[in-house]
Amino acid sequence: MSKHPNLNIPVRAALLLIVVRLAFHFADINWPEFQMVYLFIAVGGLIPLCIYAIWPRPIVPPFIKEVATAMRIMAVYAIIMIVFIIVFYAFIDKAYFVEKQTEILQGALETADPSEYGKLKQQVEDFFSLRNFSVLLLIGFVISAGFYALFFTILKQLFLKNKQ
């Protein structure tokens, strides 16, 4: 008898997205908004994992246990994805943040005083950095995972209650 949910599933999902991202990078398929689309897909991957974790089974666990189970499955996936994304930008695509900082700075200079260039450049570099991006990524995954775990577990409870 297999144990549900299986922790191999979030690992496989993360590895699939990692392989896809690396393939796109090394094939030089990086259209301008690809980074945001990839992050959207990576965070969106939490939804099917959450549904898988709480999928109906013969023994219905208590609400809190079910939320915890969903969070465990999504945490495995999120940790792998966060580590990969940080490593990817720190060692593989090092130019991404420099390019984005330059893009943001050019846009800001169109409306700012040119004499403020040094100060503005420092603010952009401080704000749009791998460190800040990593923190936002972690917060985004945690909030999304918590929301999905609660939302889908409540939805399942309501659905099962109405079905009985």
Side-chain angles (χ1 to χ4, degrees), residues 67-104:
V67 169
T69 300
M71 287 296 291
R72 182 179 54 136
I73 291 293
M74 291 186 291
V76 169
Y77 169 81
I79 289 167
I80 294 169
M81 290 306 299
I82 290 167
V83 169
F84 167 72
I85 292 168
I86 291 169
V87 167
F88 180 80
Y89 289 122
F91 300 107
I92 298 172
D93 192 2
K94 296 177 186 178
Y96 176 73
F97 282 94
V98 174
E99 291 169 1
K100 280 298 181 186
Q101 288 170 352
T102 303
E103 184 181 311
I104 292 168

Side-chain angles (χ1 to χ4, degrees), residues 50-69:
C50 181
I51 293 169
Y52 161 74
I54 65 168
W55 194 257
R57 45 197 179 275
I59 299 170
V60 179
F63 178 78
I64 295 298
K65 184 164 174 56
E66 203 156 42
V67 169
T69 300

Side-chain angles (χ1 to χ4, degrees), residues 101 119-133:
Q101 288 170 352
K119 180 181 174 188
L120 200 54
K121 183 175 192 248
Q122 187 62 45
Q123 288 174 340
V124 169
E125 288 173 355
D126 288 345
F127 178 74
F128 199 76
S129 65
L130 182 58
R131 177 183 48 102
N132 287 351
F133 180 74

Side-chain angles (χ1 to χ4, degrees), residues 1-15:
M1 183 172 182
S2 69
K3 182 174 164 72
H4 179 81
N6 188 335
L7 287 178
N8 286 331
I9 300 299
V11 172
R12 289 177 186 174
L15 289 176

Side-chain angles (χ1 to χ4, degrees), residues 20-60:
V20 167
R21 180 64 189 106
L22 291 173
F24 272 64
H25 176 74
F26 291 118
D28 202 26
I29 304 172
N30 290 310
W31 61 85
E33 297 303 320
F34 182 74
Q35 311 301 339
M36 294 307 297
V37 170
Y38 180 76
L39 287 176
F40 180 77
I41 291 170
V43 173
L46 291 168
I47 295 171
L49 288 172
C50 181
I51 293 169
Y52 161 74
I54 65 168
W55 194 257
R57 45 197 179 275
I59 299 170
V60 179

